[in-house]
Amino acid sequence: MDTKKRKLITLDEFTIQETRKFPHATGELSSLLRDIALACKIINKQVNKAGLVDILGKHGATNVQGEEQMKLDIFANETLINVLQNSAECAGIASEENDDFVAFDDVFSFNSKYVVLFDPLDGSSNIDVNASIGTIFSIYRRVSPMGAPCTAEDFLQPGNKLMAAGYVIYGSSTMLVYATKIGVNGFTLESSIGEFCLSHPNLKCPEKGRIYSVNQGNTCKYDQGVKDFLNYCMDKNGKDDGEPLSLRYIGSMVADLHRTLIKGGIFFYPADQKNKSGKLRLQYECNPMALIMEAAGGIADFGAGRILDIIPTELHQRTPIYIGSKELVSKSLSFVAENSIA
Ligand code: AHG
Ligand code: MN
Ligand code: MN
């Protein structure tokens, strides 16, 4: 059956169709995305059961079947590692939950082209309150020679070398959004067939937005430039409609970024007087979101340049981030650049 005549297009069908546009593409990236999607479907199932932990047994305790309950972020981490180790395309992984990267130690993986970095469960403090959480992933082509284990330099590439990146949001519905440099597409999990299906083709972040998203409780710790920008957000002067902007903050980057991507606005996690690099992690959170946002026509900056151009020196390094609609992020940068901590 011709997929063009059918309404539902699965993630797999979509990525294969995209690959065909490039005569030399081998389909390995599509296959890797399918593996990541599989891991996320397994995580999704466990996330949906999170509300039952009190009945089935607390995390760390033993449930009625006598099985050990695992914390969701550990479960998510182990699921991704396990699925990717079985994948034909992945040479190794780095995870927010592991101190060091893992080079898969088998001959198949020695000949795999890609490495994957991930934040297995983002927004984990929201699990107990049933708010949206997510998984964030990045895919680099390895730079180390094939035929041997992958090495640290494969994982320390700047974001501008990303082949693809994406996130899964476990929300009122479960969605996978992924980007290559050419564009961003969103897929919603259709649970009756267990497949992510194309629901948000060619996503673009609105150029203007009226929502700002930040942990405003930290204002006393921010430098003057950030405080000035916050005052701009709260002020009705200087706005087209004479109204202040709206504040929305979930505290789960995936959820805050997903809203920012669809509705426009800005999400920022600045440096402060104590944490000169902010809180969010470059390789697991900021780079993948920056690739997605730029491919959707938005901006992602650390206050003095593109996130994607930062050369990582360590796996778990942090960076401030200002990300979202072109107009509002540019506005924030004009305040921040004027008066930064450094
Ligand atoms: P994680 O759950 O992976 O540790 O990430 C939490 C992050 C991110 O999702 C969110 O944007 C940020 O922490 C919220 O931090 P604050 O509680 O300091 O606002
Ligand atoms: Mn996170
Ligand atoms: Mn996490």
Side-chain angles (χ1 to χ4, degrees):
M1 184 167 59
D2 184 355
T3 51
K4 286 187 197 100
K5 292 192 189 129
R6 181 152 50 81
K7 278 216 174 115
L8 231 51
I9 297 182
T10 67
L11 172 69
D12 216 21
E13 289 174 325
F14 180 84
T15 53
I16 289 167
Q17 280 173 14
E18 290 292 289
T19 311
R20 289 203 182 120
K21 292 181 189 159
F22 302 93
H24 300 296
T26 56
E28 287 156 301
L29 195 59
S30 313
S31 159
L32 184 53
L33 270 164
R34 184 181 50 223
D35 296 333
I36 294 172
L38 168 66
C40 292
K41 284 190 265 186
I42 299 172
I43 297 167
N44 179 60
K45 198 160 170 270
Q46 206 65 17
V47 167
N48 286 340
K49 283 201 288 193
L52 292 170
V53 285
D54 282 343
I55 301 163
L56 299 175
K58 282 263 183 216
H59 295 309
T62 310
N63 69 12
V64 281
Q65 282 90 32
E67 296 157 345
E68 184 77 3
Q69 289 280 293
M70 215 184 279
K71 278 189 129 188
L72 257 188
D73 35 14
I74 305 302
F75 175 84
N77 195 38
E78 291 190 358
T79 302
L80 275 156
I81 296 176
N82 195 273
V83 169
L84 289 169
Q85 187 144 27
N86 286 331
S87 162
E89 324 302 342
C90 184
I93 62 97
S95 162
E96 188 200 78
E97 296 290 339
N98 292 46
D99 290 342
D100 209 351
F101 68 92
V102 180
F104 294 144
D105 191 18
D106 58 274
V107 276
F108 290 113
S109 304
F110 293 171
N111 288 305
S112 302
K113 247 192 222 164
Y114 298 106
V115 295
V116 181
L117 290 80
F118 48 83
D119 177 353
L121 208 75
D122 174 69
S124 34
S125 65
N126 276 316
I127 297 169
D128 292 346
V129 294
N130 211 354
S132 297
I133 49 180
T135 295
I136 312 174
F137 61 89
S138 298
I139 302 172
Y140 287 102
R141 199 183 181 128
R142 63 190 285 190
V143 285
S144 60
M146 305 274 283
C150 60
T151 63
E153 58 174 347
D154 296 323
F155 298 93
L156 293 175
Q157 301 185 61
N160 56 31
K161 292 274 192 278
L162 277 168
M163 297 295 296
Y167 60 79
V168 172
I169 177 164
Y170 310 105
S172 42
S173 56
T174 299
M175 259 188 89
L176 183 149
V177 172
Y178 93 91
T180 58
K181 284 193 180 99
I182 341 176
V184 187
N185 292 283
F187 303 79
T188 301
L189 184 61
E190 166 50 89
S191 53
S192 63
I193 55 167
E195 294 276 3
F196 285 103
C197 296
L198 184 63
S199 54
H200 295 64
N202 196 19
L203 273 167
K204 293 285 171 216
C205 179
E207 227 170 272
K208 296 178 177 195
R210 303 207 83 276
I211 300 174
Y212 70 106
S213 187
V214 62
N215 188 339
Q216 198 158 350
N218 287 333
T219 303
C220 62
K221 298 191 257 173
Y222 296 148
D223 73 287
Q224 198 52 46
V226 179
K227 286 180 184 162
D228 290 346
F229 176 60
L230 283 171
N231 283 330
Y232 165 84
C233 293
M234 293 185 286
D235 194 351
K236 56 192 170 72
N237 295 315
K239 308 292 185 324
D240 293 346
D241 56 3
E243 288 293 326
L245 302 185
S246 292
L247 169 66
R248 298 278 183 274
Y249 190 70
I250 298 166
S252 166
M253 191 192 194
V254 169
D256 283 315
L257 248 296
H258 187 64
R259 183 199 53 248
T260 307
L261 180 65
I262 298 209
K263 294 203 165 169
I266 182 171
F267 168 87
F268 55 115
Y269 207 109
D272 63 45
Q273 280 142 14
K274 231 171 86 200
N275 307 299
K276 301 271 178 201
S277 300
K279 172 184 181 186
L280 298 180
R281 280 137 290 207
L282 175 65
Q283 294 294 70
Y284 308 111
E285 294 170 321
C286 297
N287 265 334
M289 291 305 191
L291 182 84
I292 295 167
M293 195 50 86
E294 285 201 6
I299 295 184
D301 203 286
F302 60 90
R306 260 175 107 206
I307 292 276
L308 294 177
D309 289 339
I310 300 174
I311 312 278
T313 51
E314 47 181 299
L315 265 183
H316 294 273
Q317 88 189 56
R318 295 167 197 266
T319 175
I321 186 166
Y322 300 82
I323 181 168
S325 296
K326 243 183 196 160
E327 194 187 71
L328 199 52
V329 176
S330 303
K331 191 78 185 169
S332 75
L333 296 174
S334 68
F335 285 99
V336 173
E338 247 172 57
N339 201 338
S340 78
I341 286 174

